[in-house]
Amino acid sequence: MSRKLIVLAMCSFALSACSSAPATDETAAEPATPTASFDWFEYTGNDPAFSEPPGPDGYLNPILAGFYPDPSVTRGPDGYYLVHSTFSYFPGIPVFHSKDLVHWEQIGNVIDRPGMLDFDGLGLSRGVFAPTIEYHDGVFYVANTCVDCGGNFIVTATDPAGPWSDPVWLPEVGGIDPSLFFEEDGSVWIMNNDEPPGGSTYPGHRAIWFRQIDPGTFQSISEPNVLINGGVRLEDEPIWIEGPHIYHVGDWYYLSAAEGGTAVDHSQVVLRSKELTGPYEPYENNPILTQRHLPADRANPITSVGHADLVQDADGDWWATFLGVRPYEGDLYNTGRETFLMPVEWKNGWPVILEGEEEVHYNMDTLPAPLGKIGYHIPETGNFTLREDFDGEALPFHWMTLRVPQSEWWALEDGSLELRARPVELGSGEQPSYLGRRQQHQNAVASTQVTFSPEISGDEAGLAVLQSDEYFYALGLTVSDTGTPEVVLRQRAGADDPLNGPLVAAAPITGGTVELKITARQDAYDFAFRTPGSDEWTVLATGLDGKVLSTQVAGGFVGATFGLYAEAGPR
């Protein structure tokens, strides 16, 4: 049976995919708990900035809207491949494929098997940071860091859709953001961010290190040396030099890295050398990409840009993928850090993305030269509606859960997604029965239909919008202490709140099936429910604070997700 993913206002098509089953079932020792059945899930995004469609020779930024940070791109034998950070979500590190750098289809996830990495006990913004992908001699390589869960590692695959190898750990490579370079003579090199020799002399003082590794074992075979200490102008005490890449173009080796941290001071800088191991001299007009100097009150701002990776199109022209954010006010955004695309112009032998007062635009008027036919794809930017009817054999690749599951608590059965309620709360910091997808718009609507028969107070299933363990709203079907079925809304807005969030509102219902809806309006969220077949929604709460779901308030590096959940009370 093929899964049908209905795309309204854009196109309709059938998409097949598979996701790995969780680890061996450990449910036998657990008490019996009810199961929630979700008939469908629908997501709609409608941002004014996307209202003007691109021309026939243009495209929209971001090319991947929503929580797709730290993009790294490579060109393989059948197109382009892109990976991103997912931190402590599972499956981790999505793999996208494209023929033209604009239209992307997710084909798998790198971290898709329990046992590859362990995120137990980690906050959602720990785990896998800033992966880099390279293709060389028939093999795809992803270098990455598992923060607080093992350090730096490399995985490989001959098919980027997977399976990927188990991690090969790099105990001698410290810090974060490892990146590979394959030299023409067959040697393999790795660079990474870490403290400079002798330690940091000011907060955020880091260096880019470089060493040769064995092509088979990936272990170090040379002493490391420093390529950049601090940044391009050490006297200014630059912070967080990271995300390095090296490109060999003509007679020069170009070293490009992010600088300034991933907030509004984020930027991209470039240096070059005639020798791979340096010394590298910085471009006098650095940075080659930033928006930190532009007025904060400009219309539809795109900020915090950087962490770029460069690639060539079919005509040999250069393009840069990089992260940025779309705040709705100040530095407030709930959609996380997103993936953007801009052309690269070579100026006097230097690659430049933007200079001066130039802005990153939503609507671009130049397309990369494609490598082949684009084909159908799920929309990842612009305004669209997606409906999932759960009638396939596996969930689409973009569904994620918090940390790594160790038991089989979800299943696709007879056109429904079944979630077993477990005694793990959304705010517990553990691995709840929760499957989510990214909020990709400032203005979005997520809705679902759930059937659930709660047995005791504490049994609950429904729809949540979640930024972290400490910050979320949960709209669910439960039963009161007196046995009355009801819809409840809970909000957790900080670590001092109860794990499952204080009660905000509740309303009695009849029957065990209900439709639930959460509407995001930039910094405000509305919550409603109705009986299936009804034309009218009952508003449970409106205009609740959405800023608590922003990165600025909640902290960390992730964006909000809309998700389906099921919890069980103590038995």
Side-chain angles (χ1 to χ4, degrees):
M1 181 186 300
S2 65
R3 181 187 336 105
K4 295 179 181 176
L5 187 62
I6 301 173
V7 182
L8 306 179
M10 295 195 69
C11 58
S12 297
F13 56 93
L15 174 71
S16 63
C18 61
S19 59
S20 294
T24 55
D25 197 347
E26 300 172 357
T27 64
E30 298 178 2
T33 53
T35 295
S37 178
F38 295 87
D39 227 28
W40 48 264
F41 174 89
E42 187 169 288
Y43 173 89
T44 296
N46 188 12
D47 285 353
F50 293 145
S51 60
E52 182 180 351
D57 296 321
Y59 64 93
L60 281 177
N61 265 322
I63 52 172
L64 292 177
F67 159 46
Y68 290 108
D70 307 323
S72 176
V73 65
T74 193
R75 180 170 163 177
D78 190 37
Y80 304 97
Y81 299 88
L82 192 68
V83 294
H84 305 84
S85 302
T86 42
F87 302 97
S88 294
Y89 275 99
F90 180 89
I93 312 181
V95 182
F96 283 86
H97 173 255
S98 175
K99 292 288 191 178
D100 65 351
L101 294 171
V102 172
H103 303 90
W104 294 90
E105 177 188 2
Q106 188 174 352
I107 59 174
N109 294 280
V110 173
I111 307 302
D112 66 354
R113 302 186 303 276
M116 293 182 76
L117 296 176
D118 182 3
F119 300 151
D120 283 358
L122 301 184
L124 277 191
S125 287
R126 309 309 283 173
V128 289
F129 277 39
T132 60
I133 186 169
E134 298 290 346
Y135 174 76
H136 176 72
D137 199 20
V139 178
F140 289 87
Y141 300 78
V142 167
N144 194 216
T145 312
C146 197
V147 175
D148 299 334
C149 46
N152 289 307
F153 65 91
I154 294 173
V155 291
T156 61
T158 54
D159 182 348
W164 290 78
S165 70
D166 288 333
V168 176
W169 297 99
L170 311 173
E172 296 181 359
V173 180
I176 60 173
D177 293 10
S179 178
L180 294 170
F181 178 79
F182 295 88
E183 180 62 298
E184 286 89 342
D185 63 6
S187 61
V188 183
W189 302 75
I190 192 167
M191 63 207 94
N192 63 288
N193 154 300
D194 206 350
E195 289 198 354
S200 300
T201 59
Y202 58 86
H205 182 194
R206 291 295 185 271
I208 300 300
W209 292 80
F210 194 53
R211 74 192 77 201
Q212 187 177 357
I213 59 175
D214 184 277
T217 66
F218 306 136
Q219 304 308 303
S220 300
I221 57 174
S222 75
E223 291 297 319
N225 69 291
V226 170
L227 299 183
I228 311 175
N229 184 353
V232 296
R233 300 180 185 91
L234 183 58
E235 64 275 13
D236 294 336
E237 296 190 347
I239 60 173
W240 305 120
I241 192 77
E242 59 191 5
H245 299 279
I246 288 179
Y247 314 94
H248 192 187
V249 183
D251 295 331
W252 294 95
Y253 294 92
Y254 291 87
L255 170 60
S256 187
E259 188 183 286
T262 58
V264 292
D265 288 332
H266 204 197
S267 70
Q268 192 75 17
V269 297
V270 66
L271 306 88
R272 72 182 185 184
S273 171
K274 287 290 184 70
E275 301 295 332
L276 174 61
T277 54
Y280 282 83
E281 298 296 326
Y283 177 43
E284 63 178 5
N285 292 327
N286 272 315
I288 61 170
L289 172 67
T290 192
Q291 301 281 267
R292 62 191 176 203
H293 58 296
L294 298 179
D297 60 354
R298 65 192 186 276
N300 294 322
I302 294 167
T303 71
S304 307
V305 298
H307 207 101
D309 197 2
L310 309 186
V311 70
Q312 288 180 281
D313 68 12
D315 289 344
D317 294 324
W318 288 80
W319 294 78
T321 60
F322 57 91
L323 71 82
V325 304
R326 296 180 293 130
Y328 49 77
E329 175 188 326
D331 192 29
L332 294 166
Y333 53 93
N334 298 9
T335 44
R337 298 173 298 159
E338 305 173 298
T339 296
F340 292 77
L341 178 73
M342 292 284 288
V344 176
E345 182 180 355
W346 287 84
K347 296 185 177 181
N348 300 317
W350 294 93
V352 176
I353 305 169
L354 289 178
E355 281 187 322
E357 301 301 310
E358 294 177 298
E359 294 186 37
V360 178
H361 293 294
Y362 281 89
N363 211 312
M364 301 294 296
D365 58 8
T366 303
L367 281 169
L371 293 174
K373 184 178 179 181
I374 296 168
Y376 291 114
H377 65 285
I378 298 174
E380 296 287 358
T381 190
N383 293 326
F384 58 80
T385 293
L386 295 174
R387 183 181 175 97
E388 173 61 57
D389 286 318
F390 302 125
D391 60 355
E393 297 179 356
L395 285 171
F397 290 121
H398 57 261
W399 287 90
M400 306 181 296
T401 188
L402 283 58
R403 306 176 187 89
V404 182
Q406 298 299 326
S407 64
E408 295 181 0
W409 49 259
W410 78 90
L412 293 173
E413 296 286 349
D414 299 323
S416 296
L417 173 63
E418 310 280 336
L419 299 187
R420 182 167 55 86
R422 298 156 56 234
V424 183
E425 297 168 312
L426 287 180
S428 66
E430 298 179 14
Q431 211 283 304
S433 297
Y434 175 87
L435 284 167
R437 59 100 70 214
R438 294 158 176 83
Q439 179 180 333
Q440 295 180 278
H441 299 78
Q442 296 176 352
N443 303 291
V445 180
S447 56
T448 191
Q449 177 175 301
V450 59
T451 299
F452 188 56
S453 298
E455 299 169 354
I456 61 174
S457 179
D459 290 352
E460 184 177 313
L463 177 65
V465 56
L466 180 144
Q467 207 276 348
S468 70
D469 297 295
E470 293 81 23
Y471 293 88
F472 60 82
Y473 288 98
L475 178 66
L477 172 59
T478 186
V479 64
S480 69
D481 291 335
T482 61
T484 303
E486 60 182 359
V487 172
V488 297
L489 173 63
R490 297 181 286 109
Q491 175 194 18
R492 193 176 193 208
D496 293 336
D497 281 349
L499 294 184
N500 62 350
L503 183 68
V504 175
I509 61 169
T510 58
T513 300
V514 67
E515 293 182 16
L516 305 171
K517 180 173 71 171
I518 300 177
T519 301
R521 297 181 288 112
Q522 296 187 342
D523 66 345
Y525 284 71
D526 308 330
F527 302 84
F529 68 94
R530 70 182 179 187
T531 302
S534 172
D535 293 330
E536 298 295 329
W537 291 92
T538 298
V539 176
L540 195 60
T542 186
L544 297 191
D545 183 12
K547 294 179 180 178
V548 298
L549 302 178
S550 71
T551 303
Q552 181 72 12
V553 174
F557 306 113
V558 301
T561 59
F562 288 110
L564 310 174
Y565 72 95
E567 298 176 354
R571 280 163 167 75

